[in-house]
């Protein structure tokens, strides 16, 4: 299995090359050259298989034979050390909870898988060839990457986050770990952070630094997110109805992985990408014009993305055919007010506490299912509500207990460096 660049101006890369580079030399995203569906018997048997077995089989072809079976199994087992419960919320509506990992956001799985792959590829390297993982975060990526990469040999992690635009808990998760993790607080927006990271990758002056990305452009972060969709399907008691997944989306990596799970044979009827007012994709489905915009700040801040980097992969999965895309994929956007209303309604009718991202997913699911009875709907709960404590408590008028993973970072000191421009970032990287 090789990966090609979606800009089609670079040589193909092996899995390890794609993981270490992040982005292809022509700045394109890597995409697998072929996808072989899993045997129908495997899908039928899902119920009887453990999570590790399912994940190993789903990811195996994408590692291109570069990680021996026993090592890959170890990586999968190390990555998936927590549960992914499917929780009934209403008749035929379920929340798939992806927040039971160490940083309580779904990005833990991708970050942990990628860290373990890089650790494996680095196992024989000398210390003078360190890799620097450079990552921009709108909130949750930073914490998941910090936790996933903490202590990995030969890997330095530098995280950029927009000042004042991440929650207190999110900031603590990425500024309190120390060791090989450094946090840079950027005077700007998430898009500014992402632009700086992209500029650094293209900067010849930094080429000696072996930079790689741990954003979902990296195939080792993107692809393991397929697992969730298999785990959800496995837990469904009644598999006779059509299954619809709604995914709260920002960079569109998670939903893109779901579509890939569909390519592997998972029977998914339809995908719904739900966004906040950062509505580049819903607008595109509506008008046929793809027009990236500057991101706007919302209460679902992990989705404040104006130019979703993975959408190009979704288009490729549908052969760049808008009609085909629309027949399996819908996208709707919601304001903060609608999101808060949904949080209240879900809580009132079922007692379930959704975080703002999950609530956006729920809204998208309900909108799609409105005139389509007899289907099973699953929305992804991408973060624990405690990560958005102020918003959740303020909206629902109820307190939430602080889980121990979060308690552990609450009294630690935040350590970060402040930067404002790309030149500051470059100087910081050169000085290390
Ligand atoms: C990152 C994130 C999202 C968006 O995921 P994408 O793969 O970027 O679309 C949604 N919810 C939460 C809580 C997140 O951290």
């Amino acid at each position: 299995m090789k990966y090609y660049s979606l800009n089609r101006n670079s040589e193909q890369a092996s899995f390890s090359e794609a993981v270490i580079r992040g982005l292809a030399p022509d700045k394109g995203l890597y995409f697998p050259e072929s996808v072989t569906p899993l045997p129908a018997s495997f899908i039928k048997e899902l119920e009887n298989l453990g999570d590790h077995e399912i994940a190993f089989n789903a990811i195996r072809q994408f590692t291109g034979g570069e990680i021996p079976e026993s090592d890959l199994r170890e990586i999968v087992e190390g990555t998936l050390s927590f549960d992914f419960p499917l929780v009934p919320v209403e008749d035929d509506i379920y929340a798939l909870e992806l927040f039971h990992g160490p940083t309580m956001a779904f990005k833990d799985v991708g970050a942990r898988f990628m860290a373990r792959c890089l650790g494996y590829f680095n196992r024989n390297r000398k210390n003078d060839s360190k890799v620097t993982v450079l990552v921009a975060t709108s909130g949750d990526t930073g914490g998941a990457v910090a936790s996933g990469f903490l202590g990995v040999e030969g890997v330095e992690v530098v995280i950029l986050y927009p000042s004042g635009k991440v929650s207190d808990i999110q900031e603590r998760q990425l500024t309190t770990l120390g060791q090989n993790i450094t946090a840079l607080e950027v005077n700007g927006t998430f898009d500014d952070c992402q632009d700086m990271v992209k500029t650094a990758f293209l900067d010849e002056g930094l080429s000696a630094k072996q930079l790689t990305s741990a954003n979902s452009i990296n195939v080792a972060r993107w692809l393991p997110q397929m697992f969730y969709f298999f785990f959800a399907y496995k837990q469904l008691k009644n598999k006779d109805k059509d299954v619809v997944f709604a995914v709260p989306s920002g960079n569109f990596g998670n939903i893109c992985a779901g579509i890939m799970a569909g390519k592997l044979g998972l029977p998914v009827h339809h995908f719904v990408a739900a966004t906040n007012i950062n509505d580049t994709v819903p607008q595109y489905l509506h008008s046929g014009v793809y027009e990236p915009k500057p991101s706007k700040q919302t209460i679902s801040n992990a989705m404040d993305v104006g130019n979703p980097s993975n959408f190009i992969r979704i288009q490729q999965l549908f052969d760049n055919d808008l009609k085909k895309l629309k027949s399996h994929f819908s996208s709707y956007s919601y304001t903060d007010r609608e999101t808060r209303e949904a949080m209240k309604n879900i809580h009132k009718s079922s007692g379930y506490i959704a975080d703002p991202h999950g609530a956006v997913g729920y809204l998208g699911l309900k909108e799609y299912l409105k005139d389509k009875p007899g289907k099973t709907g699953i929305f992804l709960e991408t973060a624990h509500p405690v990560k958005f404590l102020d918003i959740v408590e303020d909206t629902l008028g109820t307190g939430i207990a602080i889980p121990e993973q979060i308690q552990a970072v609450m009294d630690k000191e935040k350590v970060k460096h402040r930067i404002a421009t790309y030149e500051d970032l470059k100087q910081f990287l050169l000085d290390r």
Side-chain angles (χ1 to χ4, degrees), residues 104-107 138-141 170 216 221 225 247-256 300-303 305 310 355 357-358 380-384 387-388:
M104 315 211 86
F106 83 92
K107 294 186 174 72
S138 58
D140 281 337
T141 302
Q170 287 175 328
S216 52
R221 250 210 61 200
Q225 303 177 125
V247 184
S249 297
N251 256 323
F252 284 66
N254 201 5
I255 192 164
C256 184
S300 47
N301 67 20
M303 312 197 294
V305 183
N310 282 288
D355 94 294
H357 303 79
L380 273 49
E381 236 315 350
T382 45
H384 193 292
K387 295 201 76 176
F388 304 91

Side-chain angles (χ1 to χ4, degrees), residues 38 42 50-63 67-77 80 113 226-227 231:
L38 298 165
F42 172 78
D51 286 357
H52 295 162
E53 187 64 23
I54 293 172
F56 169 77
N57 281 284
I59 200 75
R60 185 184 200 172
Q61 63 177 295
F62 297 99
T63 60
I67 306 179
E69 173 167 339
S70 60
D71 293 289
L72 183 58
R73 282 187 187 276
E74 229 172 76
I75 289 172
V76 164
E77 284 163 25
L80 302 171
F113 185 82
M226 293 186 297
F227 303 160
F231 297 164

Side-chain angles (χ1 to χ4, degrees), residues 34-170:
S34 62
V35 179
T36 311
L38 298 165
S41 57
F42 172 78
I43 305 289
K44 258 184 129 165
E45 279 299 303
L46 278 179
E47 243 165 74
N48 307 319
L49 301 175
D51 286 357
H52 295 162
E53 187 64 23
I54 293 172
F56 169 77
N57 281 284
I59 200 75
R60 185 184 200 172
Q61 63 177 295
F62 297 99
T63 60
E66 283 184 279
I67 306 179
E69 173 167 339
S70 60
D71 293 289
L72 183 58
R73 282 187 187 276
E74 229 172 76
I75 289 172
V76 164
E77 284 163 25
T79 300
L80 302 171
S81 54
F82 40 90
D83 292 332
F84 305 85
L86 186 69
V87 179
V89 174
E90 294 168 12
D91 285 349
D92 292 329
I93 301 285
Y94 298 83
L96 178 67
E97 294 187 347
L98 304 179
F99 55 68
H100 295 274
T103 73
M104 315 211 86
F106 83 92
K107 294 186 174 72
D108 279 329
V109 166
R112 289 158 70 86
F113 185 82
M114 179 182 163
R116 283 166 173 76
C117 288
L118 262 191
Y120 177 81
F121 297 138
N122 269 344
R123 68 198 183 287
N124 298 325
R125 285 203 185 199
K126 304 252 165 40
N127 242 1
D128 55 357
S129 63
K130 277 198 174 172
V131 176
T132 298
V133 169
L134 194 58
V135 65
T137 183
S138 58
D140 281 337
T141 302
V145 168
S147 154
F149 282 80
L150 184 67
V152 175
E153 291 281 325
V155 182
E156 289 288 328
V157 177
V158 177
I159 301 168
L160 283 72
Y161 69 99
S163 181
K165 297 189 175 65
V166 305
S167 76
D168 179 58
I169 288 173
Q170 287 175 328

Side-chain angles (χ1 to χ4, degrees), residues 3 13-22 62-63 66 118 121 219:
Y3 289 81
S14 66
F15 177 63
S16 62
E17 287 165 340
V19 174
I20 290 167
R21 285 187 198 140
F62 297 99
T63 60
E66 283 184 279
L118 262 191
F121 297 138
V219 293

Side-chain angles (χ1 to χ4, degrees), residues 352-369:
Y352 192 78
I353 298 182
D355 94 294
H357 303 79
V360 169
Y362 171 88
L363 282 168
L365 184 60
K366 294 294 268 196
E367 183 151 349
Y368 176 77
L369 291 176

